[in-house]
Amino acid sequence: LAWLAGLPLKSHYPPERLEGMRDARFRWLINHAYRQIPFYRELLEQEGVKPESIHGIRDIGQLPLISKDVLQRAGTDAWSRDLPAEKRRLASTSGSTGQPLSLVFSFKDLLLSHAHNLQCMANFGWRPWYRGMALGSQALPEGHFLERLGLCRWPRVDTSQPVAKWLDQYHQIRPQALHCYPSALREFCFEAQRQGGLSWLPRVLSVGGEMYDETITPLALDVFGQRPLAMYGSVEASRMAVECREISGVHVRLDALHLEILDGEQPVAPGKAGAVYITSLVNENIPVFRYELGDVAEWVAGDCACGSKWPRIELHQGRASDVIHLQGGRRVPVTELCAIAGNCQAIRQFQFILKTPDTMVLRFERADSGQDIDGVRSELDSTLPGIEVKLEESGQLPRTASGKVKRLIDETSAKPGEH
């Protein structure tokens, strides 16, 4: 379907050809935003930027950095005026880093976005005629017209159900492609092991929508015989990067996105972590230019052995907000804590709750394992000096409306650096 939409995969295009396409698209978007979107017209005028001075991506530094708060305050002034109200398709971010951001798309925007999503799936070996199954994360929105036409089948499992029912539906669907939230895949693997394994294996196993936790890899290898391939995306810019079989970072989609990794306002060198800013080359009705996504990443140096011309990034920490601040300025990303809890076979699912600046709870669902969890407490104590760690066994942990298990819940009012 990606090919039918007229979007051939461009990861192997010569760099100069891809650069020309990106520059032409970026120029058009800047001119469109100036003519049709009050927020961007005012912003460009405040910065003294004239659309005719933007010749391509190389001039992107003329534009200011934009945060989610700025777009939220702009409201409908950040929406294109040439899209009639009756043709607007509304969406919003999950609000995992604060208040959700309302977004508006046209049918064309959504078509291009879904075509990009399917291209990413095609990179993993997916084909339009495959039976799919979405576990929490969506490969296509529920009730999408491609599904109604019978061209793409991606039934979505309600992850609020008991985990055993996930497997019942899996065995009924017998998917050739399975796409999951990583947290849901973890639970699925534990349940599959409890039931003695799977009688049907998908050809394609992929994850997205959350930070991938490498502690899931041995579980997936045991249950599915393969490691899931990861996609990196957002509501604001759809699928932004995709992993290849080399498993060496995720390739940024240059045909749909310009991505910057900055320390303050300065680009970082490969191997150094920084904040992720994106400029979508797809969205026309609420464009995002140099938009702070809230994630932390780093560039991977060198060319990938897969032959792709797309650059690679490593998402080793996830959200900038998913960090515990210790005395002395030390910062511990929640991914470090996930590696401790996730490697314990006695823990099926888990989340961390920061109750006070010096008290944290590890809430967990126990797995059917003879292993104890004393080692987990000891490792967390040494990783989080000055913070008392309590373990709390639970039933099924709460999930967001989309089916995610949030790994870190901060219930404190302390500011960064105060604990």
Side-chain angles (χ1 to χ4, degrees):
L1 294 178
W3 300 277
L4 292 176
L7 291 168
L9 197 63
K10 303 178 181 72
S11 62
H12 294 269
Y13 273 22
E16 60 276 6
R17 182 179 178 188
L18 193 52
E19 183 179 351
M21 295 167 60
R22 281 159 50 84
D23 285 346
R25 180 62 176 169
F26 183 58
R27 287 195 302 271
W28 185 92
L29 283 169
I30 290 292
N31 279 277
H32 168 72
Y34 185 81
R35 291 193 311 269
Q36 300 292 344
I37 303 176
F39 165 73
Y40 280 114
R41 183 185 307 115
E42 182 180 347
L43 183 67
L44 292 174
E45 289 177 349
Q46 284 178 350
E47 298 292 324
V49 178
K50 297 185 180 298
E52 56 268 24
S53 70
I54 304 294
H55 303 289
I57 294 291
R58 63 188 178 276
D59 298 320
I60 199 169
Q62 295 185 38
L63 305 180
L65 303 178
I66 297 176
S67 68
K68 180 179 290 187
D69 290 343
V70 169
L71 279 187
Q72 284 173 329
R73 288 196 298 270
T76 58
D77 279 348
W79 297 1
S80 179
R81 288 292 183 259
D82 64 347
L83 181 65
E86 65 273 13
K87 293 187 177 181
R88 291 172 181 165
R89 271 76 169 177
L90 300 181
S92 67
T93 60
S94 65
S96 58
T97 58
Q99 287 294 109
L101 172 66
S102 295
L103 302 159
V104 63
F105 301 96
S106 67
F107 177 79
K108 177 184 175 183
D109 289 334
L110 294 177
L111 180 63
L112 291 174
S113 174
H114 299 330
H116 283 131
N117 292 351
L118 297 179
Q119 281 183 297
C120 290
M121 298 300 299
N123 265 10
F124 297 163
W126 170 85
R127 295 297 178 263
W129 51 89
Y130 281 6
R131 292 186 307 278
M133 175 174 150
L135 191 57
S137 184
Q138 294 172 286
L140 281 179
E142 198 167 2
H144 190 267
F145 79 98
L146 294 176
E147 289 190 326
R148 295 199 302 271
L149 292 173
L151 297 175
C152 272
R153 293 167 292 172
W154 282 98
R156 186 182 180 196
V157 173
D158 178 4
T159 53
S160 67
Q161 302 178 102
V163 183
K165 290 191 175 181
W166 302 1
L167 266 77
D168 290 343
Q169 291 175 263
Y170 174 87
H171 290 303
Q172 292 172 12
I173 296 170
R174 294 166 63 89
Q176 294 163 296
L178 178 62
H179 187 63
C180 314
Y181 283 140
S183 56
L185 179 60
R186 178 182 178 85
E187 286 194 72
F188 184 96
C189 287
F190 270 107
E191 182 64 19
Q193 289 176 329
R194 190 189 70 80
Q195 294 188 16
L198 300 176
S199 59
W200 172 268
L201 297 177
R203 297 182 184 181
V204 179
L205 179 63
S206 58
V207 291
E210 291 178 314
M211 187 71 184
Y212 181 70
D213 176 2
E214 283 293 348
T215 64
I216 300 171
T217 298
L219 291 169
L221 288 172
D222 180 62
V223 172
F224 295 97
Q226 60 178 305
R227 178 195 184 278
L229 295 176
M231 289 188 284
Y232 175 46
S234 68
V235 178
E236 297 93 332
S238 188
R239 293 287 185 259
M240 302 184 296
V242 58
E243 200 167 35
C244 71
R245 297 287 179 183
E246 297 298 323
I247 316 296
S248 180
V250 290
H251 291 274
V252 177
R253 297 207 53 163
L254 294 181
D255 56 343
L257 183 82
H258 179 70
L259 187 144
E260 300 172 85
I261 302 179
L262 306 178
D263 182 2
E265 296 188 4
Q266 298 302 313
V268 301
K272 183 180 178 182
V276 174
Y277 288 81
I278 59 170
T279 296
S280 172
L281 300 178
V282 177
N283 295 353
E284 297 180 3
N285 291 290
I286 183 167
V288 288
F289 300 118
R290 307 198 79 191
Y291 172 79
E292 184 179 14
L293 202 57
D295 292 337
V296 176
E298 64 183 49
W299 292 110
V300 178
D303 295 329
C304 184
C306 75
S308 171
K309 303 298 183 184
W310 291 343
R312 290 168 292 155
I313 60 173
E314 191 73 50
L315 293 153
H316 56 82
Q317 179 177 303
R319 290 283 181 183
S321 58
D322 286 343
V323 172
I324 307 298
H325 298 265
L326 303 178
Q327 292 179 351
R330 186 184 164 207
R331 303 165 73 251
V332 179
V334 71
T335 49
E336 192 172 330
L337 307 183
C338 290
I340 297 171
N343 276 318
C344 178
Q345 293 299 303
I347 294 178
R348 179 181 184 128
Q349 190 60 276
F350 60 91
Q351 65 183 185
F352 295 92
I353 302 101
L354 193 62
K355 293 286 188 180
T356 70
D358 51 14
T359 306
M360 174 175 282
V361 172
L362 167 58
R363 186 173 294 157
F364 67 96
E365 301 171 25
R366 186 178 289 275
D368 297 329
S369 168
Q371 184 179 350
D372 62 48
I373 59 174
D374 291 339
V376 172
R377 186 196 301 275
S378 176
E379 283 192 69
L380 290 174
D381 285 341
S382 62
T383 303
L384 299 169
I387 295 181
E388 180 187 5
V389 179
K390 300 178 180 179
L391 273 55
E392 181 182 295
E393 188 170 345
S394 169
Q396 180 168 300
L397 294 174
R399 290 165 175 77
T400 65
S402 61
K404 297 180 183 180
V405 174
K406 188 165 174 58
R407 288 300 186 213
L408 176 63
I409 299 174
D410 189 346
E411 296 182 351
T412 73
S413 58
K415 298 178 181 179
E418 291 185 348
H419 44 95

